Amino acid sequence: MSRLVEINFDGIVGPSHNYAGLSLGNIASASHGGDPSFPRAAALQGLAKMRGNMERGLAQGFLLPLPRPNAGLLERLAVDAGSDRALLAAAWSASSMWTANAATVSPAPDTADGRCHLTPANLVTMLHRAQEWPDTQAQLKIAFGDERHFKVHDAVPPSFGDEGAANHMRLTESHDAPGVEVFVYGRPGGRFPARQHEQASRAVARLHGLDPQRCVFIEQSPVAIEAGAFHNDVVAVANETVLFAHEQAFADREDAYEALLAAFPKLHAIEVPASAVSLEEAIRTYLFNAQLVSQPDGGMALVVPGECWESESVRGWCEEMLATNGPIREVIPVDVRQSMANGGGPACLRLRVVADPATVDARFLLDEAKAQRIEAVIAEMWPERIDPADIGTERLAHSVVEAREALLSVLSLGELA
């Protein structure tokens, strides 16, 4: 008997984690460009978040850092000593840690063939991310290799930018029931790029065999993109019947909610007004880039960055929300400061997959024994600090490659070497 649950697959922060400021429109990333980074602390913070979710009884998986530096990319770009440093830094990027951009996932109850479908995101808008999808797909094909239960597609052609689950939400009465899938796209023309193309979203829906009557396509607010919401998950997150969003998340707010209610009448929208939390403060603290999860004992929890608890307006609004005794019963701050400084909160770090854990390759599912093995490798092998001048050096390259190989070895995933 199949037991469908939501599994969060977090990206293990890679040993080359650095602040190169490569992501146009990501204000946190740009503002920390050139700062020293602390890969060991970043990876341990991410692991602690995963452990916290396991302790709450949630199913937890992980995806591994991709091979870095990417020698193939450097060769194709003919990077030499006179090249723009950003080209070199792109080949060292650890941005695959944000697995919300790894793929778009449609669970089996939503699809025509009754399998869970996954389409890797092509991430073509940014060079440092566009290199990811073939290696990401290789992991997905191992983790979700049982073709009786999963179908892993190729990425959408690069004519249309696709940034994965960061621009996708699902509304359903319960994770194992049929759902309504919500695709949020941007329109080009603003100061910052709109990374999710409408036609990419529509192609993914067709690839996954979704019922058109159970799909909603919504335009993201240009105002939100201009303010630094480079993905929808910076201003909105959904879980089961609940949509938690900022008032300025969508281009046409009234039409968006009308379409959502028409497709999913049981929608429970929790909207944060700009008068309570400004768009700028929501983006600075990543209030909406949170994990909204169903707790095993009932009710939902919102796992937010610690920065939210340090903001008077955000914390005040959260405390008022909790006092209403609505569906979100708990707000849990976590420390992911190293990820936050590069523009990714708790939601960026995870890909949600509704599946029976028994059908997933067990090597990608976390338990305490694996967590201890991962932690030991990180503590011993991950660089403690990377300065911008370290990028491109033989010393750091050797350290990064050796660290990743050690992790693959303790997890028996040598085929990804």
Side-chain angles (χ1 to χ4, degrees):
M1 184 71 177
S2 183
R3 182 179 67 92
L4 299 183
V5 299
E6 181 179 82
I7 311 169
N8 284 285
F9 286 84
D10 281 42
I12 297 174
V13 180
S16 68
H17 166 65
N18 69 92
Y19 298 141
L22 299 174
S23 190
L24 181 63
N26 182 331
I27 291 171
S29 171
S31 65
H32 288 89
D35 289 354
S37 65
F38 300 89
R40 187 181 304 167
L44 292 175
Q45 286 169 6
L47 184 60
K49 178 175 83 74
M50 290 189 248
R51 274 188 163 128
N53 285 340
M54 283 200 305
E55 288 166 6
R56 285 184 279 278
L58 302 173
Q60 181 68 55
F62 56 85
L63 294 177
L64 294 149
L66 302 186
R68 295 292 179 267
N70 184 347
L73 179 64
L74 294 172
E75 184 178 340
R76 291 195 300 277
L77 292 172
V79 173
D80 59 23
S83 300
D84 188 325
R85 286 282 296 179
L87 299 179
L88 176 68
W92 287 73
S93 174
S95 52
S96 66
M97 62 196 260
W98 295 302
T99 59
N101 305 117
T104 304
V105 184
S106 294
D110 299 356
T111 66
D113 66 3
R115 294 187 291 174
C116 176
H117 286 243
L118 304 95
T119 295
N122 61 34
L123 298 165
V124 294
T125 307
M126 303 289 169
L127 171 64
H128 68 291
R129 305 227 59 183
Q131 64 184 314
E132 291 176 14
W133 84 259
D135 287 322
T136 296
Q137 185 192 52
Q139 285 200 57
L140 297 178
K141 284 191 168 183
I142 298 172
F144 308 106
D146 187 339
E147 295 187 359
R148 296 169 300 171
H149 301 281
F150 300 100
K151 171 66 176 175
V152 179
H153 298 270
D154 287 340
V156 171
S159 302
F160 305 120
D162 177 24
E163 302 264 325
N167 297 299
H168 174 262
M169 300 181 288
R170 182 171 185 257
L171 299 168
T172 179
E173 292 187 49
S174 63
H175 291 306
D176 59 355
V180 168
E181 301 203 15
V182 183
F183 296 84
V184 183
Y185 61 89
R187 292 201 185 279
R191 181 165 63 105
F192 295 143
R195 303 187 187 186
Q196 185 71 31
H197 197 290
E198 179 182 358
Q199 292 306 321
S201 295
R202 292 188 181 275
V204 169
R206 292 191 296 269
L207 282 168
H208 292 189
L210 303 182
D211 179 352
Q213 300 302 312
R214 300 184 69 82
C215 293
V216 180
F217 297 88
I218 297 175
E219 183 187 346
Q220 186 178 1
S221 165
V223 173
I225 296 174
E226 286 282 309
F230 52 99
H231 293 135
N232 173 69
D233 69 0
V234 179
V235 284
V237 61
N239 181 62
E240 295 189 330
T241 60
V242 173
L243 170 63
F244 179 54
H246 192 271
E247 179 184 13
Q248 294 171 281
F250 308 121
D252 190 321
R253 175 178 167 276
E254 289 187 10
D255 281 0
Y257 283 105
E258 184 178 323
L260 291 169
L261 282 165
F264 189 73
K266 294 191 176 181
L267 176 71
H268 186 137
I270 301 174
E271 189 178 74
V272 180
S275 59
V277 178
S278 70
L279 187 57
E280 290 72 22
E281 187 68 355
I283 292 169
R284 188 188 71 80
T285 61
Y286 272 31
L287 168 61
F288 298 96
N289 195 252
Q291 288 184 254
L292 182 56
V293 296
S294 300
Q295 305 210 80
D297 57 355
M300 297 186 191
L302 190 68
V303 180
V304 301
E307 285 80 351
C308 288
W309 242 222
E310 297 163 9
S311 165
E312 185 177 344
S313 63
V314 171
R315 182 167 184 166
W317 192 89
C318 287
E319 288 173 344
E320 286 181 18
M321 175 190 68
L322 293 174
T324 66
N325 202 31
I328 301 176
R329 303 293 173 83
E330 190 177 5
V331 177
I332 303 165
V334 295
D335 179 6
V336 288
R337 289 183 187 276
Q338 281 288 308
S339 177
M340 285 285 287
N342 228 354
C348 286
L349 287 162
R350 62 91 178 93
L351 179 70
R352 306 163 82 168
V353 180
V354 172
D356 182 345
T359 64
V360 177
D361 189 313
R363 291 175 294 177
F364 291 86
L365 296 175
L366 192 66
D367 55 31
E368 183 51 33
K370 280 200 198 80
Q372 289 180 16
R373 295 203 297 274
I374 293 168
E375 183 177 45
V377 171
I378 292 169
E380 180 184 353
M381 306 288 290
W382 257 231
E384 185 174 358
R385 172 178 170 141
I386 294 178
D387 290 305
D390 296 330
I391 299 298
T393 65
E394 284 294 326
R395 177 190 59 79
L396 182 60
H398 176 76
S399 173
V400 165
V401 169
E402 191 176 41
R404 181 176 180 273
E405 288 178 350
L407 182 64
L408 295 178
S409 177
V410 300
L411 294 173
S412 302
L413 281 163
E415 62 261 53
L416 289 171

